Amino acid sequence: MSRPEDRVQRGDRQQRRGRPRRSAGPLLVLGAFAVIPAIALFALFSWADGSIEENEPAPPPPSTVVAPPAFADPLSTSMLSMRRVPAVLSRQLNVSDFQQELTPFLGTLNDRSCAAASVDGILVGAKNLDLPVIPASNEKLVVAAVALDVVGPETVLTTSVVSATAPVDGVIGGDLTLVGGGDPLLSSDWYPTSNLERYAVLSPTSLDTLADRVRDAGITAITGNVVGDGSRYDDEFFAPGWGDGVAGLEAGPYDALMANDSRVLGEQQRANDPNTGAAREFIRLLNERGITVAGSAASGIAPTGGNVIATIDSAPVSDVVGEMLANSDNNTAELLMKEIGLVGEGIGSREAGARVMTAKLVEWGIDTTSVVLSDGSGLSLDNRITCSALLSVMQRFTPDSAFGSGLPIAGQTGTLTGIFTDHPLAGRLTGKTGTLNNPPFNADPPAVKALSGYVAVDGGTAVEYVLVLNGPTISDQSEYRPVWTALADVLNTYPAGATPAELGPR
């Protein structure tokens, strides 16, 4: 394609050779129109500078709107300069070099694994992009994306305390029901710092505060039981397809009512029924506040049209999603999947959640032919996903979105706290980890080690990357850590040249 200056040079040569020049009429007309904005701007400047002629109309009364302060250092870059699109220019200058660094790394991966990277949603390189792999906890990326869309980032999950009839002189005649609203972070104040879980609960909902509110409502005694009601969801406490030794240790039992991940202070084991466990824990908190309970803990359903004594809301779903991603919280993922099903289909079940999630991926234009969403946590050996689908999910968000900001930060937070601590990407790379060990090592299904996330570039550009390793012993540190380090080294090469910030307006 010829440049304008090339055309001018050719026109000059034609004139010198004696060829007749075309009429300049149209150009003069265009030039005349081009002068009009300049005249208008000059007139506006003259008025602002107080140089309007006396016989011209007086300016309108001063506005009551306070004008923003003038820039201390006005940008000097032309409005038509490529510096006005620094992210695009930086990407064009640097993607080729990034691709050259990425291609050899992709070639080192085995045929059962997949990986891909893009810059601002533009694919740079991939290995086995459409191969179905076991994602482990990278499954939570799909849960997070759909929960933010379907349930909503500002939605809260409410736990209620209900009685069949209004209290009389502070006494509830009959049962008091603790009604679960699907809040996976409902916690007694002792639990977040108990060290019973690998990572402390983030954004907990205080069960102690709910007990305070029952006391503040004037309740002094309950003549019946404290009943735990988790009927918002079905009664599937564990997802199928989990490997041996997972249920009750890595996740579950869970339900729409679950406190302290089904733990009760002073009890060695998790409660078999999360509803009854939450009721036992609530009785303890009520007793601490001088409220007597004649009965015991039980599991059941709140009376229809009951009297609401007190309620407490969770943090917004955006924070719940952030807790799930940062800590790779399996129970939170399973409850969010059921909430997705409830909002999307009116059924609080894992199966309904899977249908809604799959339908949402299709709505987003993601190929789900090889995708199997068996649970929310990624603990199921039946899950299958492609790097193409995962990358498409990542590309829908940015590092600073509710989705991206929930991911662990290399060397600093969550499941990446101790990873890449001495790497140049520490504090810059974010990523969702995933691990499945699945013995015996010499038989399928394979072990899994996954890492997917972002590397933000100063000036607004971001690299989206996904890496899902499947292999007999890939979850061993000696095997996966060199691959992760090699990936980080490659990601750190972008941009090799000028960043968007450096190419931005001056």
Side-chain angles (χ1 to χ4, degrees), residues 15-329:
Q15 182 66 20
R16 287 195 298 268
R17 291 172 185 171
R19 297 179 182 177
R21 296 186 63 180
R22 295 181 179 178
S23 170
L27 293 178
L28 290 175
V29 172
L30 290 174
F33 278 111
V35 172
I36 294 174
I39 296 173
L41 288 173
F42 177 79
L44 179 62
F45 173 80
S46 299
W47 175 81
D49 198 41
S51 59
I52 300 296
E53 295 291 337
E54 291 183 356
N55 59 355
E56 293 193 58
S63 171
T64 58
V65 178
V66 178
F71 289 109
D73 183 19
L75 300 177
S76 59
T77 301
S78 167
M79 287 302 294
L80 298 181
S81 169
M82 283 298 289
R83 285 187 177 276
R84 294 295 173 184
V85 283
V88 175
L89 181 57
S90 175
R91 185 171 63 236
Q92 291 174 342
L93 293 173
N94 289 292
V95 160
S96 178
D97 290 339
F98 184 39
Q99 190 174 49
Q100 292 180 18
E101 297 288 344
L102 182 62
T103 300
F105 165 77
L106 295 173
T108 66
L109 303 181
N110 66 44
D111 290 336
R112 304 189 70 174
S113 303
C114 70
S118 60
V119 178
D120 296 337
I122 299 176
L123 184 66
V124 177
K127 171 72 175 287
N128 297 330
L129 190 62
D130 297 312
L131 176 71
V133 293
I134 304 174
S137 282
N138 270 207
E139 182 92 349
K140 295 182 177 78
L141 292 169
V142 181
V143 175
V146 178
L148 290 169
D149 186 280
V150 172
V151 182
E154 301 302 322
T155 300
V156 295
L157 306 166
T158 303
T159 304
S160 305
V161 178
V162 178
S163 61
T165 59
V168 178
D169 296 330
V171 177
I172 293 177
D175 296 339
L176 183 72
T177 305
L178 185 62
V179 183
D183 183 356
L185 307 182
L186 187 63
S187 306
S188 302
D189 288 352
W190 61 269
Y191 184 62
T193 57
S194 66
N195 294 320
L196 289 172
E197 300 295 329
R198 187 176 307 170
Y199 303 102
V201 178
L202 304 175
S203 305
T205 309
S206 174
L207 191 61
D208 290 63
T209 298
L210 184 59
D212 289 341
R213 292 175 181 177
V214 173
R215 178 200 59 200
D216 295 344
I219 305 303
T220 58
I222 300 161
T223 64
N225 299 323
V226 171
V227 178
D229 179 357
S231 60
R232 182 181 183 87
Y233 303 153
D234 65 7
D235 289 331
E236 183 186 80
F237 296 166
F238 305 98
W242 291 357
D244 295 338
V246 170
L249 294 176
E250 296 292 335
Y254 47 76
D255 205 353
L257 176 63
M258 179 184 67
N260 309 321
D261 292 305
S262 298
R263 294 184 182 275
V264 179
L265 184 63
E267 298 183 11
Q268 295 297 316
Q269 303 295 325
R270 298 178 195 268
N272 292 327
D273 182 337
N275 302 291
T276 305
R280 286 203 301 276
E281 179 70 358
F282 201 53
I283 288 175
R284 184 186 69 79
L285 294 173
L286 293 175
N287 290 164
E288 283 184 355
R289 287 152 179 79
I291 302 173
T292 61
V293 179
S296 59
S299 178
I301 299 177
T304 303
N307 179 68
V308 178
I309 304 296
T311 64
I312 191 165
D313 292 336
S314 72
V317 162
S318 57
D319 291 345
V320 177
V321 164
E323 194 272 347
M324 174 188 69
L325 294 175
N327 291 351
S328 199
D329 192 320

Side-chain angles (χ1 to χ4, degrees), residues 139 146 233-241 254 333-360 372-376 383:
E139 182 92 349
V146 178
Y233 303 153
D234 65 7
D235 289 331
E236 183 186 80
F237 296 166
F238 305 98
Y254 47 76
E334 297 298 347
L335 264 62
L336 279 175
M337 187 176 193
K338 293 191 177 188
E339 187 66 20
I340 289 169
L342 182 66
V343 175
E345 285 192 358
I347 305 171
S349 71
R350 177 182 52 83
E351 295 93 340
R355 289 192 296 269
V356 175
M357 288 163 61
T358 302
K360 183 56 65 172
V372 178
L373 305 177
S374 181
D375 68 0
N383 290 314

